[in-house]
Amino acid sequence: MQVQSKSGQAQAKPRSRQPEVTRRNILDAALVEFADKGLAGARVDEIAARSGSNKRMIYEYFGNKEGLWLTVLEAAYARMREEEHAIDVARMKPMDGMRYLMEFNFRFCARNPEFIALLTAENLNKSTYLSESEKVQKLYSPLLAVIRDLLERGQREGVFRRGVDPVHVYLTIASLGTCYFSNIHTLSTIFGRDLASQAELKARTEHCVAVVLGYLRA
């Protein structure tokens, strides 16, 4: 679309970014609501109020509450992968690269308790909604390629053992983080220690890194 300037020349009218802002606000509000109450307990009215939008706009952008839930899940996974890929692990030495992936996973889980809450809720749903995603598997293919490359280079250099499945390596890295943070409150109560403190997080990270690297060493 063009408008006339004072000089009479046609100028392009700036395109409004309002739809993008509205969509982002809805997703941010939905993340908080879903993480706090899960899919079943979350209310679209609350998401609309929190985002400064309305139910009509939510349904226009996402179809229904389930569509919004899936979009929030996909966005959470995408954010994790984007932050993880900020460092070019392919240029690291195999041992350093594997350490980075483990430390990143722990730091991300510590900073994003909402992500853990979403994973827990979707597992209770038996991945009913995530199984419909066309994006999530594609997000993880590059990560598995990075892990496979680290393992292969480590094997050639004689620092990693052979016959290691990259999927199992990732599952171990992920489980060491998500299990800790999904149970951090009950575990803190059981052992009488604040497992969310910086000292405990640092100690746990180092322990997990040592466990995985100890297994991988040739």
Side-chain angles (χ1 to χ4, degrees), residues 65-111:
K65 186 168 76 166
E66 290 74 17
L68 177 57
W69 168 261
L70 177 56
T71 304
V72 169
L73 277 174
E74 290 176 334
Y77 277 106
R79 179 186 173 190
M80 186 177 191
R81 296 282 76 84
E82 287 170 4
E83 290 188 19
E84 189 174 63
H85 296 326
I87 300 295
D88 189 358
V89 180
R91 294 182 179 273
M92 292 183 175
K93 293 181 179 180
M95 200 73 74
D96 293 338
M98 202 64 72
R99 170 180 282 274
Y100 166 78
L101 290 178
M102 286 184 285
E103 290 177 342
F104 170 82
N105 183 270
F106 234 78
R107 289 195 303 269
F108 186 88
C109 291
R111 294 196 313 267

Side-chain angles (χ1 to χ4, degrees), residues 32-198:
V32 175
E33 179 75 0
F34 284 139
D36 185 41
K37 302 174 184 175
L39 174 60
R43 294 290 177 263
V44 175
D45 285 331
E46 181 64 25
I47 295 171
R50 191 189 298 269
S51 65
S53 182
N54 56 62
K55 291 173 67 174
R56 181 185 64 80
M57 292 299 296
I58 292 175
Y59 294 137
E60 179 179 333
Y61 282 118
F62 304 101
N64 51 36
K65 186 168 76 166
E66 290 74 17
L68 177 57
W69 168 261
L70 177 56
T71 304
V72 169
L73 277 174
E74 290 176 334
Y77 277 106
R79 179 186 173 190
M80 186 177 191
R81 296 282 76 84
E82 287 170 4
E83 290 188 19
E84 189 174 63
H85 296 326
I87 300 295
D88 189 358
V89 180
R91 294 182 179 273
M92 292 183 175
K93 293 181 179 180
M95 200 73 74
D96 293 338
M98 202 64 72
R99 170 180 282 274
Y100 166 78
L101 290 178
M102 286 184 285
E103 290 177 342
F104 170 82
N105 183 270
F106 234 78
R107 289 195 303 269
F108 186 88
C109 291
R111 294 196 313 267
N112 296 276
E114 299 88 356
F115 181 69
I116 303 299
L118 292 177
L119 293 187
T120 301
E122 183 60 5
N123 274 288
L124 290 174
N125 294 330
K126 298 183 178 179
S127 198
T128 298
Y129 303 98
L130 196 63
S131 64
E132 299 176 2
S133 174
E134 298 178 356
K135 299 178 180 179
V136 171
Q137 287 190 355
K138 295 178 181 178
L139 288 172
Y140 277 77
S141 294
L143 174 60
L144 287 179
V146 168
I147 294 176
R148 185 177 292 107
D149 175 67
L150 289 172
L151 291 173
E152 290 175 351
R153 287 194 289 117
Q155 290 164 9
R156 289 196 300 269
E157 294 174 16
V159 296
F160 285 163
R161 64 191 294 174
R162 297 186 178 276
V164 179
D165 186 337
V167 172
H168 280 295
V169 171
Y170 174 74
L171 291 175
T172 300
I173 293 172
S175 62
L176 287 171
T178 56
C179 178
Y180 186 80
F181 289 100
S182 63
N183 295 280
I184 199 165
H185 301 296
T186 52
L187 291 173
S188 294
T189 298
I190 289 169
F191 296 113
R193 292 163 60 172
D194 181 10
L195 297 179
S197 70
Q198 290 301 311

